[in-house]
């Protein structure tokens, strides 16, 4: 397992984290090849009413996936470094 940062390494990866990664992949595969999703889409898909509690875990899942080369994080349509991205982000498959 490759971690995106020391914070991710110290947190570890639990079942919910793995479920978020799987959900991100599933949501992206259900959309057009050039489509993006928001991390909140994955959080909502598995969190129900408590989806907001899963926002940071969803962003961590996305950063781990970027570190493994499975995902890109964008802002304004431009790929950004996940360790410095602030604010709203979008997730997409690598191009």
């Amino acid at each position: 397992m490759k971690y995106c940062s020391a914070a991710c390494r110290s947190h570890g990866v639990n079942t919910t984290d793995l479920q978020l990664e799987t959900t991100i992949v599933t949501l992206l595969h259900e959309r057009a090849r050039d489509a993006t999703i928001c991390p909140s889409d994955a959080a909502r898909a598995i969190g129900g009413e408590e989806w907001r509690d899963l926002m940071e875990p969803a962003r961590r899942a996305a950063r781990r996936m970027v570190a493994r080369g499975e995902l890109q994080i964008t802002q304004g349509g431009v790929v950004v470094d996940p360790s410095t991205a602030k604010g709203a982000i979008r997730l997409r498959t690598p191009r």
Side-chain angles (χ1 to χ4, degrees):
M1 170 66 50
K2 187 171 183 181
Y3 294 97
C4 61
S5 67
C8 275
R9 190 176 352 280
S10 68
H11 176 269
V13 178
N14 61 32
T15 304
T16 301
D17 297 322
L18 295 175
Q19 190 176 9
L20 284 163
E21 289 183 18
T22 301
T23 302
I24 289 168
V25 170
T26 300
L27 291 171
L28 284 169
H29 284 318
E30 290 174 349
R31 292 185 168 82
R33 173 79 174 121
D34 59 347
T36 63
I37 64 167
C38 179
S40 67
D41 295 331
R44 283 183 176 100
I46 68 168
E49 296 280 328
E50 305 299 319
W51 68 269
R52 285 179 181 84
D53 295 340
L54 293 176
M55 278 304 297
E56 185 51 36
R59 290 173 70 99
R60 274 196 312 264
R63 290 190 300 265
R64 281 192 306 276
M65 294 173 75
V66 167
R68 294 191 305 256
E70 300 169 1
L71 195 68
Q72 291 178 328
I73 293 178
T74 65
Q75 287 183 313
V78 177
V79 176
V80 295
D81 180 349
S83 65
T84 59
K86 302 283 187 219
I89 61 172
R90 302 291 295 179
L91 313 177
R92 72 181 191 191
T93 55
R95 304 204 173 126

